[in-house]
Amino acid sequence: FAHPHLELAAELLEILGVTRDISERKAQEDEVRRMREMGEAERVEKFREIIRLRLVEADAEPDDVFADDAVRDQLIALSGGQPSGLMTLVREAIITDGLPINEGSLQRIKIDGQREFARLLYPEHWPIIEAIRKKGQFNPTSKYRPIFRELLNCRAILQYVNHEEWYGLNPMVAAIESPGKRKSPGKRKS
């Protein structure tokens, strides 16, 4: 017998797929530009609207997909304000534990995301990450420019353009402590 939400999950995964036609991508890019001009509360509300529209497209109700509004809003926060990041997180949460997305699946994608970034980050990345954590700004010298670009390309650092350009840490990276601040494990007892 089939899981009652299997058909809905498959349909949502198709809708949230990464392949989109060019006109749809252009519309998404325009939407991202408009969202950059909004305040935090407006952006969260806009993300809720994006989710609502995707659910309408899938002929699904929010209760079919999210255990509660808090889970939905935590996914929005984890996206770092990136619509494609939000859709990826929703897809990963569905793949992880099926529907509805609950606190358990949310915790699982947080852990997996943090582990993935922790594997990607090298000691030379951390001075840049810490500067952005503290100031939201970083002006890379020629020495740091390639490393800075790596961090942008892997989305460890997110670029925002409101009235001015600034940077933020991907929420998955922000949750990882700098190697210099981590407690070293105690000696094992034999």
Side-chain angles (χ1 to χ4, degrees):
F1 67 96
H3 188 279
H5 294 293
L6 191 56
E7 188 175 314
L8 176 59
E11 190 172 337
L12 280 171
L13 289 173
E14 182 179 320
I15 289 168
L16 300 173
V18 292
T19 56
R20 298 275 182 197
D21 68 20
I22 292 172
S23 64
E24 193 170 343
R25 285 185 189 181
K26 173 73 172 119
Q28 285 179 344
E29 289 171 7
D30 291 343
E31 188 65 22
V32 168
R33 274 192 280 284
R34 284 190 296 277
M35 288 175 73
R36 288 177 178 154
E37 300 301 318
M38 296 178 187
E40 181 68 23
E42 290 174 293
R43 274 193 298 275
V44 170
E45 193 54 46
K46 192 62 171 175
F47 272 88
R48 289 175 183 151
E49 181 65 11
I50 288 170
I51 291 169
R52 189 191 68 72
L53 292 172
R54 294 287 172 100
L55 292 176
V56 167
E57 190 177 333
D59 195 28
E61 294 296 322
D63 292 346
D64 296 334
V65 180
F66 304 103
D68 56 44
D69 292 345
V71 167
R72 179 205 55 210
D73 289 350
Q74 286 180 59
L75 279 167
I76 291 169
L78 282 174
S79 76
Q82 307 287 314
S84 61
L86 175 62
M87 295 301 111
T88 299
L89 289 169
V90 169
R91 184 177 62 243
E92 290 301 314
I94 292 170
I95 291 169
T96 298
D97 281 335
L99 293 172
I101 299 169
N102 58 39
E103 189 66 38
S105 53
L106 189 62
Q107 290 306 315
R108 178 39 104 203
I109 61 171
K110 283 181 189 178
I111 290 167
D112 289 349
Q114 289 167 10
R115 284 180 181 158
E116 185 176 331
F117 275 111
R119 284 190 296 271
L120 290 172
L121 300 174
Y122 292 107
E124 61 267 20
H125 293 137
W126 286 99
I128 298 170
I129 290 169
E130 288 306 318
I132 291 173
R133 188 186 312 262
K134 290 176 186 157
K135 302 177 197 164
Q137 292 292 327
F138 186 77
N139 294 318
T141 61
S142 59
K143 173 185 172 185
Y144 285 109
R145 195 167 286 123
I147 298 167
F148 182 72
R149 182 65 44 206
E150 278 177 31
L151 291 168
L152 281 171
N153 288 339
C154 77
R155 297 176 56 129
I157 293 174
L158 304 174
Q159 179 181 24
Y160 300 96
V161 181
N162 296 70
H163 299 291
E164 60 184 54
E165 184 176 295
W166 59 281
Y167 303 95
L169 296 180
N170 182 305
M172 300 290 186
V173 173
I176 302 170
E177 285 188 30
S178 165
K181 294 182 180 180
R182 292 183 198 150
K183 294 180 181 177
S184 58
K187 290 186 180 182
R188 297 174 108 183
K189 295 181 181 179
S190 5

